[in-house]
């Protein structure tokens, strides 16, 4: 079968389509015919050699997919090193979810990781009271657009920040009441919660906006690693900071993740949220898809179509 294979650490040119052996399923697993595979920024970090858990090379990336299983339309996420950038992939059956009838395969591949990454911390680590102001950074990306919608579904008030003015219209269209560039974050009124996907200086600026008893959730570091935080500063401000890493949580508390997966599917089926697909590329153009993400010009989820 065909797969987009990552030969080693380096630029997007390290990705190339090749013939690889067909997967074999063990007990509790299923082989899914992949119709769409989502690209996550974690995939870019792996290619750059910057991810905490690096695979052995050559490797087939891709942690979320949508496709066919015995005539059923499914979506889900792949554990144990990925494999979604391919025509077939092995998935543990517990991490397969029904794809809503009205949804495309590309939307299915854009859904699981993004919405679980938004839903779990915004319901388990923070209290979104009615009208609570929640600042979402990288708000035009796959997880950011999911978080803006989840905040609205929880009756909060989403405030969006993105890397350029051109990207601000998307979170506004999804319900963000304010949308600013990162340079303008300091001009915002205070917020109750920060949901940050950027790290670095953006996270530092966002922390300064928190109200007393506010909560910041550090999720990603696309803009640089987090700076050390002195607990004395947190105590003095009466604020808290949480970290969230879905990949590690799946291994440590799979029951929580499984319950959350059912919750977010019901949320989608109700019409309260929808995944945003920003671009679709054929499998042969996986390198171009990575280049788009690295250019910081992409919005929503970038998806590969085998």
């Amino acid at each position: 079968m065909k797969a987009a294979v990552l030969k080693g650490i380096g630029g997007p040119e390290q990705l190339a389509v090749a013939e690889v052996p067909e997967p074999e399923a063990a007990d509790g697993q299923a082989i899914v015919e992949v119709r769409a595979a989502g690209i996550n920024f974690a995939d870019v970090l792996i290619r750059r050699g910057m991810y905490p858990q690096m695979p052995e090379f050559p490797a087939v990336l891709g942690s979320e997919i949508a496709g066919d299983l015995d005539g059923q339309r499914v979506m889900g996420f792949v554990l144990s090193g990925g494999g979604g950038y391919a025509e077939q992939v092995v998935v543990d059956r517990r991490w397969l979810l029904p794809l809503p009838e009205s949804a495309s395969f590309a939307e299915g591949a854009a859904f699981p990781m993004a919405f679980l990454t938004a839903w779990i911390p915004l319901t388990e680590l923070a209290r979104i009271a009615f009208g609570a102001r929640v600042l979402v950074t990288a708000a035009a990306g796959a997880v950011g657009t999911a978080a803006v919608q989840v905040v609205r579904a929880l009756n909060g008030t989403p405030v969006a920040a993105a890397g350029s003015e051109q990207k601000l219209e998307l979170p506004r269209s999804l319900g963000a009441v304010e949308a600013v560039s990162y340079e303008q974050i300091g001009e915002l009124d205070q917020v109750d919660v920060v949901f940050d996907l950027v790290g670095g200086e953006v996270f530092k600026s966002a922390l300064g906006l928190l109200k007393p008893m506010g909560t910041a959730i550090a999720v990603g570091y696309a803009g640089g690693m987090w700076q050390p935080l002195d607990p004395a500063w947190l105590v003095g401000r009466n604020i808290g900071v949480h970290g969230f890493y879905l990949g590690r949580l799946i291994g440590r508390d799979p029951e929580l993740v499984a319950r959350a997966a059912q919750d977010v599917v019901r949320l989608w089926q109700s019409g309260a949220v929808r995944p945003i697909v920003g671009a679709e590329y054929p499998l042969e153009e996986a390198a171009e898809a990575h280049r788009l993400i690295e250019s910081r010009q992409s919005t929503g989820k970038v998806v590969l179509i085998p």
Side-chain angles (χ1 to χ4, degrees):
M1 69 169 187
K2 289 193 303 182
V5 179
L6 178 62
K7 294 176 286 185
I9 294 170
E13 69 278 359
Q14 292 292 329
L15 284 162
V17 168
E19 289 290 329
V20 300
E22 293 186 358
E24 297 181 2
D27 289 344
Q29 296 180 325
I31 296 175
V32 177
E33 299 288 335
V34 180
R35 300 293 181 239
I39 300 178
N40 290 289
F41 196 74
D43 300 344
V44 174
L45 292 174
I46 290 171
R47 179 174 53 71
R48 292 176 176 173
M50 299 170 61
Y51 199 67
Q53 288 83 42
M54 293 293 293
E56 294 184 5
F57 297 111
V60 179
L61 304 180
S63 54
E64 57 187 330
I65 55 91
D68 292 313
L69 174 61
D70 301 328
Q72 307 256 331
R73 288 160 33 94
V74 296
M75 59 183 174
F77 44 93
V78 187
L79 306 179
S80 304
Y85 293 11
E87 292 179 318
Q88 295 181 334
V89 68
V90 171
V91 184
D92 289 350
R93 288 184 179 273
R94 73 177 302 174
W95 302 122
L96 286 171
L97 303 164
L99 179 64
E101 286 301 319
S102 60
S104 68
F105 286 115
E107 288 175 319
F111 185 79
M113 302 293 282
F115 276 86
L116 284 171
T117 300
W119 176 261
I120 295 175
L122 287 171
T123 55
E124 298 285 343
L125 298 179
R127 294 176 298 169
I128 310 297
F130 185 87
R133 284 170 57 83
V134 181
L135 173 62
V136 178
T137 64
V143 179
T145 53
V148 168
Q149 295 179 77
V150 166
V151 171
R152 291 287 294 185
L154 295 172
N155 294 311
T157 301
V159 178
S164 67
E165 293 286 343
Q166 293 81 2
K167 290 185 175 182
L168 299 181
E169 185 53 40
L170 178 55
R172 286 192 189 104
S173 72
L174 297 172
V177 298
E178 296 178 72
V180 300
S181 66
Y182 295 144
E183 292 76 14
Q184 299 169 313
I185 282 180
E187 301 172 15
L188 291 169
D189 292 335
Q190 287 187 310
V191 298
D192 300 282
V193 176
V194 169
F195 181 86
D196 178 60
L197 299 156
V198 180
E201 288 297 323
V202 171
F203 182 66
K204 181 179 178 181
S205 298
L207 275 181
L209 292 180
L210 279 176
K211 297 177 182 178
M213 309 308 292
T215 300
I217 305 170
V219 182
Y221 55 96
M225 292 300 291
W226 305 279
Q227 299 177 14
L229 278 175
D230 187 344
W233 187 79
L234 302 177
V235 171
R237 294 288 309 279
N238 286 288
I239 62 174
V241 175
H242 290 283
F244 182 76
Y245 177 16
L246 179 61
R248 187 68 57 83
L249 186 65
I250 289 171
R252 294 191 171 183
D253 197 344
E255 289 76 16
L256 185 155
V257 177
R259 291 195 304 272
Q262 298 299 321
D263 290 339
V264 293
V265 170
R266 285 193 291 268
L267 199 64
W268 187 7
Q269 291 171 332
S270 75
V273 301
R274 61 185 176 90
I276 304 299
V277 177
E280 300 179 32
Y281 285 83
L283 192 64
E284 292 77 7
E285 296 181 17
E288 288 303 314
H290 271 234
R291 287 190 181 95
L292 175 64
I293 293 172
E294 284 188 301
S295 74
R296 309 287 184 174
Q297 300 303 308
S298 63
T299 58
K301 177 75 79 173
V302 178
V303 175
L304 294 178
I305 307 297

